[in-house]
Amino acid sequence: PSFEPAINPSGRAIGVSSDRSDGVEKVTGQAVYTMDFEEAGTLVGLVLRSEVARGRVLRLNAEPAEKIRGVRAVATHLDVPSLSGMSVVKDQPTFASDMIRYVGEPLAAVAADNEAIARRALAAIEVEIEELPAVVNLESAMAPDAPLVHENWQSYEIAMEAEDRSGNVVWQNGIKRGTDAEFERAFAEADAIVEDRFRVPRQNQTPIEPHVSAASYRNGRYVIHTSTQFPYMIRQRTAELLNVPPSQVRVVVPTVGGGFGGKLDAILEPIACVLARKSRRPVKVTNTREEEFATTGCRENASVWLRTAVSADGRILAQSAEVLSDNGAYSSGETVVCAGIATIALGSTYRIPLARYTSKVIYTNTPPTAAFRGVNGPYCIFAVENHVEHLARTIGMDRREFRMRNVIQKGDAMVNGQVLDDAYLLEAMASVESRVTWHQHAVPSAPGKLRGKALVPLSWLTNGGPAEATVHLADDGSIMITSAATEIGTGAVATGMRQIVAEVVGVSVDRVRISAPDTDGGGFDNGAQGSRTTFGSGEAARRAATAVREQIRRSAAALLDCDAGRIELIDGHAVREGGSSVSFADISRDQFGKSGPISGTGSFVAAAPKFDVGTVTGAAVTGLSGVSYHAHYAEVEVDAATGSIDILRYVVAQDVGRAINPAMIRGQVRGAVAQGIGYALYEEVRIDSRGHVIDTGFESYRVPTVLDIPPIDLEILENPSFEGPFGAKGVAEPPIVPVAAVLCAAVSDAIGHAITELPVTPFRVLEALQSAEQA
Ligand code: SMO
C-alpha cells in the first residue's frame, strides 16, 4: 500500500493527543445544546401518543384542544401529505391516520405558550380507537396466521424472492457460497455438526441529551435546529414527509449530547416543522426520558441460529445461519440496511468455505428499531464466538487452537467473497496474548468463586459514504474548514479534522477552526455513522487542505522568488529552503488583491473493495470499506452463590489504521467497552404482552456506571488503510462489537455451561449453574 507520508515529519499535528477543543465548554456548562437553544417566542410542542399497540382510529377530534387559551396550533395527519408511494425502507408517517401500529405512535401534536397549557391541550384531544390483536414479538409476528402489521404492505415494491413476499417479513437478504451439492456433502461428511440459537434483547442508546428539535417557518422555508448525527438525512427525510424540495429545509446542528446511532433519523423534526408552520411561531419539541425509552429506535431484539459442519482436526467445513431482527412497526431503513451487514458480519472472522446465510427483518407492533453503535455486530459476533466455543468443545480441541486454524488470514476472502489482503487478526490476537496469562494456569479462585476467560478476534468495517469539505486561508493566516461533518462527542470533528488539516497545511491545531454543521453552509456529509468521520470527512478535509497547501506554496514561491518545490510550510510560514520566509497572513493578504482568497475543496467516497466472488450470490450489501482488525480478552470471576460477575481483566488490541489522536482513541475504546458491558450484562428494554415498553427509566434499565468498568488495557495497532487520511480507519464502533461475545464466553468458561441469551444476568448465571450440576 502507498499513501502520502505525513507532511510534518515531526508529527506535530497528527499522532498527538491534542486537547479536545470542545472539552472546556462542555465541562463548564457553556456549550449550547439544542436543549438550550431558543429563539424569541418559542412555543412548547408536545406529542399525543397511542396507548394501544394495534388499532383502528375511529375518531380524532382536536377542536377542544384548539379552543384552549394559549394553544397556538394542533396538528394531526390532516396537516401533512399522505405517504402513498413511500418506499418500504422508510415508511413511518408523521402522524397515524386510520391505523395505529405501536404504543407510542404519534397521533397529534400541540404547540402552546407553556408546558402546562400544552399538557392540558393533549388531554383535551378526543380519540376513539378500536383495539385490534397485535403481534408484539418475533415469534407471534412470524406465525402463519399472524395479523399483518401493514395490512396492504405487499403492494410495496421489494426486491425479494417471491415466496418470502408475505407475512410480516419486511426484508430478506442472503448469501450463498458454494453449490448446493458441495454444501450438502460437507454436512454429510462432517465429523461433527453443532447447532445453536442465540437471543438478544433491545438496547437503548440512552444519550444524555434526549431527542430534541426546534423548528421555525419563515419565507416558505423550514429552519430546524436539532440534535442529530446526520443533518442531511434530517433534511431529506423531513422534506419527503412534508412534500417540499429538500432545499426548502435548512438543518443546523448545535452541540450534540450523544447519538450512538439513535439520532440518524427524523423523529421530532417533521412534527416541530408542522407545528411551526401552523402557529407561525418557533416550536421546540423535547422527548422526556420516558418517551426516549418508549418510542425512539433501539438496537433491535434478534435471534441468531447457526449450524456448522466441522472436521475432527478442527476445520469449519460449512455453515448455515439465520438472523431474525425485529424491525418494530415502521422501518427507519437502518434495521433493513443492516440486515445486509449481518450476513457478512457472521462470516468476517473465520474462513467459511461453504455457506447458506439468511437475514430477515420482521415487522411487529412495537416501537420501530434503528441503529445503535456497531449495528447488529454485537449480536452477530456474540453468536459466532459462543458458537465457536461450542464447536471447539464438541471436538475436544483447545478453543485458541480452533480459532487459529480458522481465522481469516491475509489474502483470504470473507463469506461475501471480499478479499482481505491486509487481515491483521493474528497480529491483534498476538498483541492481546502478549499481555495476558492465557497460556498460564488461571490464578486459583477463592472458595465459591469461579474464574473464566475468553479471547475473541474481530474484523469490522468503516462506513465509506460520501463527504465534501472546503478549506480556506483566512486574512490573518489562520485556517477555516467548512463541512457538515457532525461532532457527536467523539472529538473526531472538533479536534480530529482540525489536526488533519493542520498537519497538511503546516499550522498549529489552534490556528484551525471548523464550522458547525448547517445544510445551508457546507458541502454534503454522510453523517456521524459507521465510524466514518475521520475516515471519510477527514479524508475530504485532507484533500481540500492539500489543494490549499499547493496554492500557498505557489504564492509563496512568487513572493520569495523561487520554485514552489523548494517551499516548506512550517508553523504558519512558507519557508524557502535554507533561508527567508513569509507568513500565511502576508500570503493571504497578497493573494486577496491578486487572484482572490485562497481556498480548496475536497470530496471523498470509498472505492469498491476487491472481490473473489467465486460462487457467492445474493449479498445485498456488497462489500465493506476501511476494514480494521481487533482482539478482545476478558477474565471474569463469578460468584457461584449469587451469580454476580466481576470483570478482573479486560484487554484490547485495536487496529486504527493510523492514530490521529491517541487519547481520543482511548476514550472511544473505553466508551465502547462500557456500552458493550451494559449490553452483555445489564441492559434490556422489555416490552409487555400488550406492546408497552416496561423499562422507561434508569430505575429498571440498568446502564453500567464507572464502578462496573474495569481498567482497559489497550494496544493501538497501526495497519494503514489505503483510503483514510494518513491511513486512518474508523475507531468508535468496532470496540463495542466483541464485548458481549467475549464476556459471555468467559462467564460460560467459568461456570462450565454455555449461556446463549443476553444480558448475562445473575439470574441466568444461576440457572446455567443449576443446569451444569444436573448434567
Ligand atoms: S449505529 Mo452508527 O450511528 O452507524
Side-chain angles (χ1 to χ4, degrees):
S2 83
F3 57 96
E4 280 193 42
I7 288 169
N8 281 339
S10 63
R12 269 185 307 234
I14 65 158
V16 178
S17 294
S18 291
D19 287 346
R20 289 276 302 271
S21 66
D22 54 341
V24 170
E25 66 170 31
K26 281 180 174 167
V27 299
T28 56
Q30 295 173 83
V32 177
Y33 295 82
T34 304
M35 280 285 215
D36 308 311
F37 174 85
E38 201 148 287
E39 285 182 73
T42 296
L43 303 174
V44 174
L46 290 180
V47 181
L48 180 69
R49 298 178 179 280
S50 162
E51 294 282 333
V52 305
R54 184 160 172 268
R56 192 173 302 283
V57 182
L58 302 177
R59 201 170 79 93
L60 181 67
N61 180 19
E63 242 174 74
E66 282 161 355
K67 286 184 187 141
I68 295 172
R69 184 191 299 268
V71 171
R72 308 290 173 178
V74 182
T76 69
H77 69 96
L78 298 172
D79 299 298
V80 290
S82 82
L83 268 189
S84 61
M86 188 73 62
S87 77
V88 71
V89 175
K90 291 204 180 262
D91 58 6
Q92 174 147 26
T94 310
F95 298 108
S97 49
D98 56 332
M99 284 295 290
I100 282 169
R101 299 190 171 87
Y102 71 94
V103 174
E105 182 165 4
L107 285 163
V110 301
D113 290 351
N114 61 46
E115 192 185 325
I117 297 170
R119 293 237 170 261
R120 246 185 292 142
L122 284 191
I125 298 173
E126 296 168 359
V127 191
E128 210 180 310
I129 292 165
E130 177 197 356
E131 194 168 349
L132 298 169
V135 287
V136 298
N137 55 46
L138 289 173
E139 291 70 31
S140 60
M142 294 186 75
D145 56 347
L148 294 180
V149 176
H150 291 263
E151 46 299 319
N152 61 347
W153 83 277
Q154 279 161 307
S155 63
Y156 292 121
E157 274 305 308
I158 301 180
M160 190 188 284
E161 289 168 30
E163 75 249 43
D164 297 304
R165 293 188 59 175
S166 63
N168 285 310
V169 179
V170 185
W171 187 268
Q172 170 170 314
N173 169 267
I175 288 183
K176 287 184 184 174
R177 192 178 173 87
T179 66
D180 289 348
E182 288 169 324
F183 185 78
E184 276 150 32
R185 195 174 337 116
F187 273 94
E189 291 172 2
D191 293 311
I193 294 171
V194 174
E195 189 172 335
D196 284 304
R197 185 174 288 282
F198 300 90
R199 284 191 177 77
V200 297
R202 292 184 182 207
Q203 183 186 20
N204 190 284
Q205 298 86 349
T206 62
I208 292 177
E209 179 196 37
H211 286 75
V212 47
S213 303
S216 59
Y217 183 71
R218 288 192 293 266
N219 300 321
R221 279 189 98 209
Y222 295 96
V223 180
I224 306 170
H225 285 73
T226 189
S227 183
T228 183
Q229 300 170 232
F230 193 173
Y232 276 91
M233 174 62 78
I234 300 301
R235 184 174 91 143
Q236 184 213 320
R237 181 66 179 147
T238 303
E240 193 179 15
L241 286 165
L242 301 177
N243 197 24
V244 298
S247 55
Q248 292 306 97
V249 178
R250 176 183 175 191
V251 179
V252 184
V253 187
T255 309
V256 178
F260 312 110
K263 290 180 180 167
L264 290 168
D265 284 306
I267 297 178
L268 301 178
E269 290 86 351
I271 295 175
C273 283
V274 176
L275 290 171
R277 188 187 68 214
K278 285 196 85 176
S279 65
R280 302 282 154 168
R281 292 265 294 271
V283 178
K284 187 156 84 177
V285 186
T286 310
N287 264 0
T288 60
R289 184 57 65 180
E290 191 181 350
E291 286 176 301
E292 195 68 13
F293 269 109
T295 68
T296 65
C298 293
R299 192 193 312 280
E300 63 278 8
N301 52 303
S303 80
V304 181
W305 170 81
L306 286 163
R307 185 167 181 266
T308 304
V310 67
S311 67
D313 67 345
R315 280 173 213 286
I316 296 173
L317 305 172
Q319 189 170 67
S320 296
E322 186 185 56
V323 183
L324 299 176
S325 308
D326 191 340
N327 178 86
Y330 294 99
S331 176
S332 65
E334 266 84 36
T335 310
V336 164
V337 168
C338 295
I341 296 175
T343 47
I344 301 176
L346 292 174
S348 62
T349 313
Y350 302 104
R351 286 185 298 259
I352 313 287
L354 301 163
R356 291 290 179 278
Y357 288 179
T358 312
S359 174
K360 288 181 180 173
V361 182
I362 312 295
Y363 276 130
T364 59
N365 290 114
T366 61
T369 58
F372 187 151
R373 195 176 198 170
V375 290
N376 43 30
Y379 61 80
C380 289
I381 301 305
F382 158 65
V384 165
E385 293 300 333
N386 285 275
H387 184 63
V388 159
E389 302 261 321
H390 190 182
L391 282 166
R393 254 192 334 269
T394 304
I395 60 165
M397 180 177 273
D398 174 66
R399 52 201 166 129
R400 176 181 181 275
E401 184 56 34
F402 186 89
R403 286 189 167 91
M404 298 306 254
R405 277 196 194 187
N406 291 285
V407 79
I408 283 176
Q409 299 189 23
K410 291 182 179 68
D412 287 339
M414 298 191 294
V415 78
N416 66 338
Q418 182 179 341
V419 177
L420 299 178
D421 278 330
D422 63 343
Y424 259 64
L425 289 166
L426 290 173
E427 288 82 348
M429 290 166 80
S431 158
V432 165
E433 289 189 326
S434 71
R435 288 174 284 144
V436 299
T437 55
W438 183 256
H439 299 290
Q440 298 164 22
H441 294 293
V443 187
S445 309
K449 305 270 191 180
L450 305 166
R451 284 198 177 179
K453 58 192 173 182
L455 190 166
V456 162
L458 171 78
S459 315
W460 198 250
L461 75 156
T462 311
N463 178 308
E468 301 172 72
T470 307
V471 169
H472 315 260
L473 175 65
D475 55 354
D476 65 352
S478 68
I479 301 289
M480 179 71 201
I481 311 166
T482 52
S483 151
T486 305
E487 177 60 68
I488 56 169
T490 65
V493 177
T495 306
M497 283 175 71
R498 289 168 52 243
Q499 286 180 269
I500 289 165
V501 168
E503 180 81 17
V504 175
V505 178
V507 293
S508 59
V509 179
D510 59 11
R511 295 287 284 162
V512 182
R513 286 166 298 136
I514 188 161
S515 63
D518 180 342
T519 57
D520 271 8
F524 180 84
D525 190 274
N526 205 43
Q529 54 169 334
S531 304
R532 63 167 288 284
T533 300
T534 299
F535 182 73
S537 312
E539 176 59 14
R542 192 195 66 82
R543 291 177 185 181
T546 304
V548 166
R549 171 189 161 76
E550 292 320 311
Q551 290 176 64
I552 293 175
R553 289 172 86 203
R554 277 199 301 276
S555 311
L559 289 169
L560 297 172
D561 195 23
C562 70
D563 199 77
R566 298 180 59 196
I567 301 280
E568 264 206 88
L569 306 184
I570 300 168
D571 202 16
H573 290 76
V575 182
R576 200 173 94 176
E577 213 173 278
S580 51
S581 72
V582 55
S583 74
F584 282 10
D586 287 341
I587 293 168
S588 177
R589 281 191 285 267
D590 181 59
Q591 278 303 303
F592 267 58
K594 286 183 180 162
S595 48
I598 289 177
S599 69
T601 60
S603 60
F604 172 81
V605 68
K610 181 175 142 192
F611 274 88
D612 168 18
V613 276
T615 53
V616 176
T617 53
V621 173
T622 53
L624 308 181
S625 53
V627 179
S628 57
Y629 304 97
H630 314 257
H632 283 217
Y633 168 90
E635 216 170 291
V636 300
E637 187 169 82
V638 176
D639 185 320
T642 66
S644 73
I645 297 160
D646 262 347
I647 304 170
L648 303 177
R649 185 119 167 81
Y650 203 96
V651 183
V652 176
Q654 172 150 357
D655 161 31
V656 301
R658 177 77 178 260
I660 303 295
N661 185 316
M664 288 187 345
I665 290 167
R666 285 176 193 284
Q668 284 310 306
V669 172
R670 186 168 170 78
V673 171
Q675 279 186 315
I677 290 171
Y679 188 56
L681 305 183
Y682 314 124
E683 296 180 44
E684 175 169 18
V685 178
R686 293 168 299 173
I687 296 176
D688 73 15
S689 60
R690 295 189 58 209
H692 288 255
V693 171
I694 296 167
D695 304 287
T696 57
F698 292 110
E699 301 82 5
S700 73
Y701 188 87
R702 158 118 152 77
V703 292
T705 70
V706 70
L707 299 176
D708 302 307
I709 306 161
I712 290 150
D713 179 349
L714 166 69
E715 186 181 13
I716 295 173
L717 305 176
E718 294 187 308
N719 171 37
S721 80
F722 308 102
E723 298 184 277
F726 305 103
K729 298 173 177 176
V731 168
E733 284 198 314
I736 196 176
V737 174
V739 183
V742 75
L743 286 174
C744 183
V747 171
S748 299
D749 178 46
I751 66 180
H753 197 271
I755 292 179
T756 56
E757 192 164 352
L758 298 180
V760 182
T761 56
F763 181 78
R764 287 212 169 102
V765 169
L766 292 176
E767 246 182 358
L769 271 168
Q770 226 163 42
S771 312
E773 272 167 31
Q774 284 160 8

